[in-house]
């Protein structure tokens, strides 16, 4: 076997040598370097032998170290066994036990007893320190303040959870002792301050201010503040972490100084003295004691809340008292009553129960529907007295809840009371308009009888008045809502609503109201990212729509008023008059036109006193367009005119325009009928050129206009007729009896 292994080794060495020689000697020229190759091989052989010797040396050292370590371990094992045997022997002797397990159990029990003894000793030492504190209250101020601070700052209760709730009775005892000591010091120092106040004759109006008494008072106040300082600092730190939702402690010096005042207060306002009057809460503001007494008396509850609002407002605005506890601003007494004590729903219902009957009184008043001509300035649409009073009522409601701090409370007031009244008033105006429409339909269907009275109530000035009451009221509310939307109070309320709506992801946005509920009552822009929108968008849109509808009906009634007289006027045919002595030469209007101008003058006279200047002109333009179309179709293009007849028609038009100008403004009548005005100018051209007719007489104009469109346009431009088209001009000229074409 050894021979085989040796043969394999020699064979591998042989092949390795063969590979080496084949690699180094590949050509006959390589034989010249054989000596150098042999030297290189010898060097490598010597290096390998050196490395082998070093390795053998390291291996020998390692064997020596292992042997030495093994010997050391064996020695330590023998020593440990001897020590363990000695410990077991001594433990058995100490515990008088028969075996080591029993001895260990007895030893652990002894250690637990020793630990319990140490804890008990520490408890007694702490109790001794606490008891010693009770005897230090008569020490100098700085010394007992240091001891008191040490006692109060003992964090036993804070450290108890870390000790797994250990020693609860000890913690309670220490806290009771500290509290008893603190109360004793408070009583002692309060008595010192009371004595100092007595020397100052507090709280009489004739205070005795002496340097020594003042110094004693200052020192007594300082001691109480030092006593309370840890409590105040701890409370302030807690308030920062809770965003100011706690109540600060009452300063002890103020509590002592208020004592005599509190005694007098109770004498006057909690006894049977005449000053104890629940209906006069502004005398005393005895809030929480009074709330339970007046809960069932809505008027007193409302009066109390408004007195609290006034009190808070005075403190904020006049005394600049805005600093609250911690990081929060002072919210006022009203916040404590309405939010913390949950009186807001009751108060809201009380205010709603007051506002709705007051609204009904306004509506039921005999003069509610009368137009108030003196309420707004000239040039503005006049509202009814009911609209003014309703707006005044709602503004007074705004003043009631404007000072509130709570956003949700302000929004509930707006929606539940103000917008509710706006909706009711809109419904009443809408009902009035529907009643008018029903009356007009009955008139159309009726023939005789009492329907004549109905006709008078929906036609002429009476009909206009009914519509103007609705239109003026709606317009007044729209303008009021616009002013409200620009009010800083409602702007801030809208911005707050938008902010909350954009951030809110829950179901309800304010109380029980969802985002959709609020948007339906206020504005569809609630929660949108744009800058448009206001609190009263929906309400204003409803009133605006009502105003537009009534304006359209006003125009329709005006048209109806002049339609029958216009029909009679269109049937006359004096337009072929050829004599120069006709009525046209004297400027007298046609007799039949009086039937148009008289009701037109009456209606416009009434409307000019009720409607604003802009609204009046808007209605006037629509009426002018109607008159123009009627006269164009039924007179201008229906009859044939002589020169004098054309002048007569111009005289009638001028009279109509004068009536309209009286109420719409100078030139408004003719401006509204520009096409008819230009047609009348063309129709009334004389046979010879007039000085103001750009050198064109009737026949010259006729020739140019009928020649072609280009010459016709040039002729019309020379005459200053810019509205008439070429075809219309030819149609007008064809109505002249002396036309040559």
């Amino acid at each position: 076997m050894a021979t085989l292994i040796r043969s394999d080794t020699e064979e591998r060495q042989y092949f390795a040598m063969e590979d080496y020689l084949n690699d180094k000697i590949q050509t006959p020229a390589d034989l010249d370097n054989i000596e150098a190759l042999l030297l290189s091989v010898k060097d490598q052989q010597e290096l390998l032998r050196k490395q082998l010797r070093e390795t053998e040396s390291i291996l020998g050292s390692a064997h020596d170290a292992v042997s030495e370590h093994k010997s050391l371990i064996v020695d330590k094992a023998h020593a440990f066994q001897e020590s363990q045997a000695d410990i077991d022997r001594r433990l058995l002797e100490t515990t008088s036990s028969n075996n080591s397990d029993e001895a260990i159990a007895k030893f652990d029990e002894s250690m637990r007893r020793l630990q319990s003894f140490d804890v008990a000793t520490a408890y007694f030492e702490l109790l001794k320190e606490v008891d010693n504190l009770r005897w230090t209250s008569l020490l100098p101020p700085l010394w007992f303040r240091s001891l008191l601070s040490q006692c109060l700052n003992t964090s036993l209760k804070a450290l108890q959870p870390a000790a797994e709730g250990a020693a609860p009775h000890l913690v309670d005892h220490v806290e009771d002792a500290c509290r008893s000591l603190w109360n004793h010091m408070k009583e002692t120092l309060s008595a010192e301050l009371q004595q100092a106040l007595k020397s100052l004759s507090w709280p009489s109006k004739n205070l005795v201010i002496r340097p020594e008494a003042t110094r004693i008072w200052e020192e007594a106040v300082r001691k109480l503040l030092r006593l309370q300082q840890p409590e105040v600092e701890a409370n302030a730190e807690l308030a920062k972490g809770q965003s100011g939702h706690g109540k600060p402690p009452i300063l002890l010096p103020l509590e002592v100084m208020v004592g005599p005042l509190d005694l007098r207060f109770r004498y006057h306002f909690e006894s049977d003295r005449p000053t104890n009057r629940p209906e006069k809460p502004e005398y005393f503001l005895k809030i929480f004691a009074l709330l339970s007494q007046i809960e069932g008396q809505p008027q007193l509850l409302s009066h109390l809340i408004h007195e609290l609002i006034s009190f808070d407002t005075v403190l904020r605005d006049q005394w600049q008292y805005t600093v609250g506890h911690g990081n929060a601003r002072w919210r006022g007494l009203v916040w404590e009553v309405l939010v913390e004590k949950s009186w807001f729903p009751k108060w809201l219902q009380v205010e709603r129960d007051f506002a709705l009957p007051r609204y009904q009184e306004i509506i039921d008043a005999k003069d509610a529907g009368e137009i108030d001509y003196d309420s707004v300035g000239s040039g503005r649409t006049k509202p009814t007295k009911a609209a003014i009073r309703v707006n005044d009522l709602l503004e007074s409601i705004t003043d009631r809840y404007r000072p509130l701090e709570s956003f949700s409370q302000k929004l509930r007031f707006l929606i539940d009371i103000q917008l509710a009244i706006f909706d009711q008033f809109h419904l009443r105006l809408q009902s009035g308009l529907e009643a008018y429409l029903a009356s007009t339909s009955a008139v159309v269907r009726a023939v005789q009888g009492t329907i004549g009275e109905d006709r008078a109530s929906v036609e002429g000035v009476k009909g206009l008045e009914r519509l103007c009451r609705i239109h003026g009221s709606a317009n007044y509310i729209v303008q009021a809502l616009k002013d409200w939307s620009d009010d800083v109070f409602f702007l801030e309320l809208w911005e707050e609503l938008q902010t909350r709506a954009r951030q809110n992801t829950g179901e309800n946005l304010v109380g029980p109201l969802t985002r959709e509920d609020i948007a339906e009552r206020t504005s569809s822009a609630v929660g949108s990212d744009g800058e448009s929108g206001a609190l009263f968008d929906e309400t204003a849109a409803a009133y605006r729509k009502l105003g537009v509808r009534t304006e359209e009906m006003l125009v329709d009634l005006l048209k109806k008023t002049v339609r029958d007289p216009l029909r009679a006027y269109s049937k006359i045919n004096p337009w072929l008059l050829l004599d120069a002595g006709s009525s046209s030469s004297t400027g007298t209007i046609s007799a039949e036109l009086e039937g148009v101008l008289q009701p037109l003058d009456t209606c416009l006279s009434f409307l000019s006193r009720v409607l604003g200047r802009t609204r009046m002109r808007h209605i006037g333009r629509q009426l002018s367009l109607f008159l123009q179309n009627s006269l164009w179709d039924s007179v201008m293009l229906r009859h044939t005119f002589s020169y004098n007849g054309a002048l007569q028609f111009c005289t009638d038009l001028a009279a109509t325009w004068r009536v309209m100008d009286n109420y719409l403004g100078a030139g408004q009548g003719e401006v509204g009928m520009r096409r008819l005005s230009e047609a009348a100018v063309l129709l009334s051209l004389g046979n010879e050129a007039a000085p103001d007719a750009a050198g064109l007489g009737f026949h010259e104009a006729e020739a140019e206009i009928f020649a072609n469109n280009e010459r016709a346009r040039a002729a019309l431009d020379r005459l200053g007729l810019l509205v008439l088209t070429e075809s219309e001009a030819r149609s007008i000229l064809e109505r002249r009896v002396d036309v040559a074409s």
Side-chain angles (χ1 to χ4, degrees):
M1 185 68 179
T3 304
L4 290 176
I5 294 174
R6 190 164 46 249
S7 299
D8 290 340
T9 303
E10 292 174 353
E11 185 177 359
R12 285 196 297 272
Q13 291 176 350
Y14 174 78
F15 284 124
M17 182 182 299
E18 182 181 3
D19 291 339
Y20 180 80
L21 291 175
N22 290 335
D23 180 58
K24 297 298 182 178
I25 305 175
Q26 297 180 359
T27 62
D30 293 334
L31 294 174
D32 297 336
N33 300 325
I34 191 67
E35 294 181 1
L37 181 62
L38 290 174
L39 290 175
S40 175
V41 170
K42 289 180 179 180
D43 293 340
Q44 292 179 1
Q45 185 179 20
E46 184 63 27
L47 179 62
L48 290 174
R49 287 174 179 173
K50 182 179 179 181
Q51 291 177 350
L52 179 61
R53 287 194 298 271
E54 291 177 355
T55 303
E56 290 175 347
S57 175
I58 293 173
L59 181 60
S61 300
H63 280 299
D64 294 341
V66 169
S67 299
E68 184 179 355
H69 181 69
K70 180 178 179 181
S71 176
L72 180 63
I73 292 298
V74 170
D75 293 342
K76 288 184 177 180
H78 289 311
F80 174 77
Q81 291 175 355
E82 293 176 357
S83 177
Q84 180 67 35
D86 183 63
I87 291 174
D88 291 342
R89 179 181 56 77
R90 289 193 296 171
L91 183 62
L92 292 174
E93 293 176 356
T94 302
T95 59
S96 301
S97 302
N98 297 324
N99 53 65
S100 59
D101 292 338
E102 182 181 357
I104 291 173
K106 290 183 179 181
F107 186 76
D108 289 342
E109 180 63 24
S110 299
M111 292 302 296
R112 282 195 294 270
R113 290 180 180 178
L114 181 61
Q115 184 179 10
S116 299
F117 178 77
D118 292 339
V119 172
T121 301
Y123 284 175
F124 279 108
E125 290 178 354
L126 183 59
L127 290 174
K128 181 180 178 181
E129 293 180 6
V130 172
D131 189 65
N132 289 337
L133 285 173
R134 299 181 178 181
W135 301 97
T136 60
S137 59
L138 299 179
L139 295 177
L142 294 178
W143 175 241
F144 84 72
R145 186 174 77 85
S146 175
L147 291 177
L148 179 61
S149 299
Q150 180 183 358
C151 178
L152 292 178
N153 291 327
T154 300
S155 303
L156 291 178
K157 193 170 184 179
L159 296 175
Q160 192 179 19
E164 300 180 352
H169 299 293
L170 176 63
V171 173
D172 293 340
H173 175 75
V174 172
E175 288 183 353
D176 291 341
C178 290
R179 189 180 303 109
S180 175
L181 177 59
W182 191 87
N183 290 333
H184 175 69
M185 292 183 176
K186 173 187 174 183
E187 293 174 359
T188 302
L189 298 179
S190 296
E192 293 182 8
L193 180 57
Q194 290 173 354
Q195 188 64 31
L197 291 173
K198 186 176 180 180
S199 64
L200 293 173
S201 299
W202 172 267
S204 67
K205 61 181 180 180
N206 299 319
L207 291 178
V208 179
I209 307 298
R210 295 191 300 269
E212 182 61 22
T214 302
R215 186 191 63 77
I216 296 174
W217 173 81
E218 291 178 352
E219 184 62 25
V221 170
R222 188 177 295 108
K223 290 179 181 179
L224 280 173
L225 291 178
R226 287 176 177 174
L227 176 66
Q228 198 180 12
Q229 182 177 353
E231 178 190 6
V232 173
E233 292 176 349
N235 189 275
E237 191 66 26
L238 181 63
K240 293 180 181 179
Q242 297 180 349
S243 299
H245 284 297
K247 288 186 176 181
I250 300 175
L251 295 180
L252 296 180
L254 293 181
E255 183 179 340
V256 174
M257 296 181 69
V258 169
L261 300 176
D262 180 67
L263 184 62
R264 296 184 181 185
F265 179 90
R266 295 178 183 276
Y267 173 75
H268 286 287
F269 303 115
E270 292 187 3
S271 64
D272 56 356
R273 301 288 297 174
T275 49
N276 186 12
R277 301 174 59 185
E279 71 276 10
K280 292 291 185 180
E282 61 270 25
Y283 285 178
F284 47 85
L285 286 180
K286 189 179 60 182
I287 304 171
F288 300 111
L290 185 60
L291 282 172
S292 58
Q293 301 178 24
I294 64 175
E295 181 176 1
Q297 304 179 57
Q299 291 184 345
L300 295 184
L301 176 61
S302 176
H303 182 55
L304 173 61
I305 298 299
H306 290 298
E307 287 300 327
L308 292 179
I309 292 175
S310 299
F311 179 79
D312 291 347
T313 302
V314 169
L315 284 183
R316 289 193 189 96
D317 298 343
Q318 297 185 15
W319 296 93
Q320 303 298 314
Y321 185 79
T322 58
V323 180
H325 185 43
N327 297 326
R329 63 190 301 267
W330 182 65
R331 294 182 177 273
L333 297 178
V334 175
W335 175 271
E336 295 187 26
V337 173
L338 299 182
V339 178
E340 295 182 1
K341 300 300 181 181
S342 303
W343 279 83
F344 176 73
K346 296 180 181 179
W347 179 51
L348 178 64
Q349 187 60 44
V350 167
E351 295 297 333
R352 180 180 173 86
D353 293 341
F354 284 159
L356 293 182
R358 175 59 186 142
Y359 163 77
Q360 197 59 46
E361 291 177 6
I362 293 174
I363 297 302
D364 295 339
K366 293 181 179 180
D367 61 346
E370 295 180 3
I371 297 175
D372 193 337
Y373 294 94
D374 301 325
S375 59
V376 295
S378 60
R380 296 180 59 186
T381 301
K382 307 302 186 293
T384 60
K385 294 182 178 179
I388 298 173
R389 293 167 184 169
V390 167
N391 183 68
D392 292 343
L393 170 64
L394 296 176
E395 286 184 348
S396 67
I397 294 174
T398 301
D399 294 336
R400 287 178 175 268
Y401 74 89
R402 185 188 294 268
L404 294 179
E405 288 285 312
S406 170
F407 164 78
S408 61
Q409 292 175 4
K410 290 186 282 191
L411 193 63
R412 289 288 303 278
F413 250 94
L414 174 68
I415 293 177
D416 292 359
I417 300 181
Q418 291 180 298
L419 293 185
I421 292 178
F422 272 129
D423 291 344
Q424 291 190 22
F425 190 55
H426 178 270
L427 181 61
R428 180 172 180 82
L429 296 179
Q430 183 71 29
S431 300
L433 185 59
E434 297 298 334
Y436 173 84
L437 291 174
S439 298
T440 56
S441 299
V443 169
V444 171
R445 293 192 302 265
V447 180
Q448 295 292 336
T450 58
I451 302 304
E453 299 177 1
D454 293 339
R455 181 187 296 274
S457 66
V458 296
E459 293 182 352
V461 173
K462 289 188 176 180
L464 293 175
E465 184 177 5
R466 288 184 62 175
L467 292 175
C468 284
R469 292 174 184 173
I470 302 172
H471 178 78
S473 298
N475 181 79
Y476 184 80
I477 296 299
V478 169
Q479 185 59 45
L481 291 175
K482 181 180 178 181
D483 295 339
W484 285 26
S485 298
D486 294 335
D487 189 299
V488 175
F489 172 72
F490 291 110
L491 285 174
E492 293 176 348
L493 197 62
W494 170 252
E495 290 298 329
E496 179 69 17
L497 175 61
Q498 285 290 73
T499 301
R500 295 194 177 202
R502 291 163 183 164
Q503 297 175 351
N504 180 269
T505 58
E507 181 178 352
N508 295 338
L509 182 58
V510 176
L513 300 177
T514 64
R515 175 174 171 175
E516 290 72 20
D517 295 334
I518 297 176
E520 182 181 358
R521 301 300 305 278
T522 57
S523 171
S524 59
V526 170
S528 64
D529 295 330
E531 298 296 330
S532 61
L535 277 175
F536 306 101
D537 283 352
E538 297 298 321
T539 304
Y543 277 96
R544 192 177 295 111
K545 181 179 179 180
L546 184 62
V548 171
R549 188 179 180 191
T550 52
E551 181 178 329
E552 293 173 351
M553 296 178 67
L554 283 171
V555 175
D556 290 341
L557 182 54
L558 283 175
K559 293 177 181 179
K560 181 180 179 181
T561 300
V562 299
R563 184 176 289 113
D564 290 341
L566 275 176
R567 189 177 293 114
Y569 177 74
S570 64
K571 292 179 180 180
I572 66 172
N573 191 14
W575 317 118
L576 288 175
L577 294 175
L578 299 176
D579 57 315
S582 63
S583 60
S584 63
S585 62
T586 60
T588 304
I589 64 174
S590 302
E592 292 78 4
L593 187 63
E594 289 288 351
V596 178
L597 299 185
Q598 192 275 331
L600 180 63
D601 182 80
T602 302
C603 291
L604 292 180
S605 175
F606 170 76
L607 290 178
S608 66
R609 294 187 295 114
V610 178
L611 299 180
R613 186 176 295 107
T614 302
R615 193 63 49 198
M616 188 67 182
R617 288 190 175 182
H618 185 262
I619 292 177
R621 284 194 295 271
Q622 298 181 67
L623 177 61
S624 298
L625 183 60
F626 169 75
L627 292 174
Q628 174 178 264
N629 293 337
S630 298
L631 293 174
W632 182 279
D633 295 333
S634 61
V635 178
M636 181 74 72
L637 299 182
R638 183 177 179 183
H639 298 286
T640 303
F641 294 81
S642 66
Y643 171 68
N644 287 332
L647 292 179
Q648 179 63 47
F649 184 64
C650 291
T651 300
D652 292 348
L653 285 180
T656 304
W657 294 336
R658 282 195 299 272
V659 171
M660 301 183 71
D661 291 350
N662 289 336
Y663 307 108
L664 302 179
Q668 293 300 310
E670 184 176 3
V671 169
M673 305 182 199
R674 184 66 180 272
R675 187 168 67 114
L676 185 62
S677 172
E678 292 186 359
V681 170
L682 184 61
L683 185 65
S684 61
L685 285 176
N687 292 328
E688 297 182 359
D692 59 346
L696 287 178
F698 176 76
H699 292 296
E700 292 178 83
E702 175 190 1
E704 293 295 317
I705 291 174
F706 279 98
N708 54 57
N709 285 343
E710 183 177 356
R711 291 174 61 183
R713 185 72 263 163
L716 292 175
D717 291 343
R718 287 179 60 187
L719 293 170
L721 309 180
L722 305 179
V723 175
L724 280 180
T725 64
E726 294 85 349
S727 60
E728 289 174 340
R730 295 183 185 112
S731 299
I732 295 302
L733 290 178
E734 288 175 350
R735 308 317 300 169
R736 278 285 290 266
V737 68
D738 51 342
V739 65
S741 303

